[in-house]
């Protein structure tokens, strides 16, 4: 019996998409404090899910996002049905935001969870922290990946179609399904020539976009070096433990410890 229409999987293909999960936070002052903000709320913040800069239209695969906030918030599950997928709030404390990604119906995929720590306080090196204080802006972002393994045919077609770049071509900022570039919520630096469009991470880092293969390989290098350092430290530790054990055996054999204890 043939599979029902739209549920036949495209064998041997896994389609991957990078995307960004992040938050921004700032200290409120009289000017930036929204009306009616509770007196104990010291910070303004937003948490978001967005496509990569100049990447394919994220709504090709992402239908809606649910952000589960700390239970101290009223209606703490916030559902965002269209881009930009973000929640703006104020508060006094950081917490872990649970993020449920719902995919377009034609994907036939179950929702997936991701997690993001809402970072309210400056972090990193002294210099980084100072820069964040000067700007009154703490940005915490991660480039995540999602794999669609053997997607069903209609979804495979969408993920490989030119339509996901339509937002770049269209005049007056209107793209596929009439969405404007701005409303997509992904950053955009101008239409890329067709041959430079990629659904993968771009090759190079630019002043506006740190998420590139270049960064990825530098990060992997850093991790490999750190791993080598840890391996060396473990070896040195093992060696010195072995040395101590050997000294202990020698002491025991010489009988010094026994006589010492008897005395
Ligand atoms: C914790 N970090 O893990 C703390 C919780 C809760 C944050 C932080 C305001 C809520 C409201 C708010 O900032 N909650 O007043 O609506 O236990």
């Amino acid at each position: 019996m043939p599979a029902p229409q739209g549920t036949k999987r495209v064998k041997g293909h896994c389609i991957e998409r990078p995307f960004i999960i992040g938050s921004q936070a700032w200290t409120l002052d009289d000017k930036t404090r929204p009306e009616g903000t509770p007196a104990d709320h010291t910070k303004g913040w937003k948490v978001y899910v967005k496509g990569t800069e100049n990447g394919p239209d994220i709504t090709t695969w992402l239908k809606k996002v649910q952000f589960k906030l700390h239970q101290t918030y009223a209606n703490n599950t916030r559902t965002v049905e269209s881009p930009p997928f973000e929640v703006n709030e104020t508060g006094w404390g950081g917490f872990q935001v649970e993020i449920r990604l719902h995919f377009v119906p034609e994907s036939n995929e179950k929702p997936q969870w991701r997690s993001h720590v809402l970072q309210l306080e400056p972090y990193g090196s002294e210099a980084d922290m100072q820069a964040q204080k000067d700007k009154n802006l703490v940005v915490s972002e991660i480039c995540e990946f999602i794999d669609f393994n053997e997607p069903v045919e209609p979804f495979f077609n969408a993920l490989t179609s030119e339509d996901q770049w339509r937002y770049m071509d269209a005049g007056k900022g209107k793209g596929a399904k009439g969405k404007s570039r701005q409303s997509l919520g992904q950053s955009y630096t101008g239409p890329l020539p067709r041959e430079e469009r990629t659904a993968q991470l771009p090759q190079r880092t630019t002043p506006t976009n740190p998420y590139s293969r270049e960064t990825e390989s530098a990060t992997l290098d850093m991790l490999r070096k750190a791993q080598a350092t840890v391996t060396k430290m473990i070896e040195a530790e093992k060696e010195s433990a072995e040395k101590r054990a050997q000294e202990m055996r020698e002491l025991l054999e010489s009988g010094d410890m026994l006589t010492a204890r008897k005395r």
Side-chain angles (χ1 to χ4, degrees):
M1 202 172 69
Q5 219 189 1
T7 61
K8 192 164 169 277
R9 294 196 169 266
V10 181
K11 296 279 176 219
H13 282 272
C14 180
I15 297 197
E16 183 183 64
R17 284 286 185 275
F19 66 105
I20 293 161
I21 298 181
S23 58
Q24 298 186 4
W26 52 93
T27 300
L28 293 173
D29 60 25
D30 293 343
K31 268 185 264 144
T32 53
R33 172 172 288 274
E35 231 179 84
T37 305
D40 61 344
H41 287 198
T42 49
K43 304 282 182 180
W45 55 259
K46 64 177 175 181
V47 58
Y48 48 85
V49 174
K50 63 179 186 179
T52 49
E53 184 181 273
N54 300 331
D57 178 348
I58 194 172
T59 63
T60 310
W61 56 270
L62 189 60
K63 173 77 180 144
K64 80 176 176 192
V65 180
Q66 282 174 306
F67 297 87
K68 193 158 180 277
L69 310 182
H70 195 261
Q71 66 265 22
T72 45
Y73 283 90
N75 312 316
N76 69 325
T77 299
R78 307 286 172 89
T79 304
V80 185
E81 307 264 358
S82 58
F85 298 106
E86 67 175 44
V87 170
N88 277 274
E89 260 298 350
T90 61
W92 48 263
F95 55 91
Q96 191 125 333
V97 185
E98 303 304 331
I99 296 171
R100 196 165 158 91
L101 306 169
H102 294 263
F103 305 114
V104 292
E106 67 266 31
S107 72
N108 220 11
E109 298 279 344
K110 290 194 202 78
Q112 283 193 29
W113 287 99
R114 293 290 191 277
S115 204
H116 177 76
V117 174
L118 174 64
Q119 178 70 32
L120 299 184
E121 301 301 331
Y123 66 100
S125 67
E126 286 291 322
D128 286 346
M129 291 204 280
Q130 195 54 52
Q132 293 160 45
K133 277 182 204 153
D134 293 346
K135 276 198 214 148
N136 186 19
L137 190 65
V138 175
V139 180
S140 168
E141 279 190 352
I142 188 163
C143 182
E144 268 278 345
F145 289 85
I146 193 146
D147 280 340
F148 299 110
N149 195 31
E150 302 195 332
V152 295
E153 271 169 359
F155 191 38
F156 178 85
N157 294 340
L159 288 168
T160 50
S161 127
E162 282 294 319
D163 257 14
Q164 50 191 335
W165 304 103
R166 205 45 74 71
Y167 80 97
M168 275 192 175
D169 292 332
K172 299 200 195 94
K174 288 281 181 188
K177 303 175 203 157
K179 281 173 296 213
S180 74
R181 276 171 208 147
Q182 289 79 357
S183 75
L184 264 185
Q186 6 195 141
S187 48
Y188 171 76
T189 58
L192 292 184
R194 215 156 274 257
E195 64 281 5
E196 280 177 36
R197 296 175 188 180
T198 172
Q200 309 290 308
L201 286 182
Q203 193 56 39
R204 302 253 166 254
T205 296
T206 66
T208 52
N209 176 43
Y211 308 109
S212 65
R213 285 163 185 258
E214 197 174 52
T215 309
E216 184 181 49
S217 84
T219 309
L220 286 174
D221 263 5
M222 188 184 75
L223 289 173
R224 255 180 241 118
K225 281 192 189 128
Q227 176 98 55
T229 309
V230 170
T231 307
K232 259 196 206 149
M233 286 164 76
I234 291 173
E235 270 161 20
E237 198 52 48
K238 267 192 203 150
E239 234 169 69
S240 91
E242 182 51 45
K243 221 169 123 200
R244 281 197 301 275
Q246 181 60 27
E247 280 167 11
M248 192 70 93
R249 276 195 295 275
E250 282 168 16
L251 265 174
L252 280 170
E253 274 160 24
S254 70
D256 277 6
M257 269 190 29
L258 294 173
T259 44
R261 214 183 284 159
K262 271 186 199 148
R263 253 184 246 136

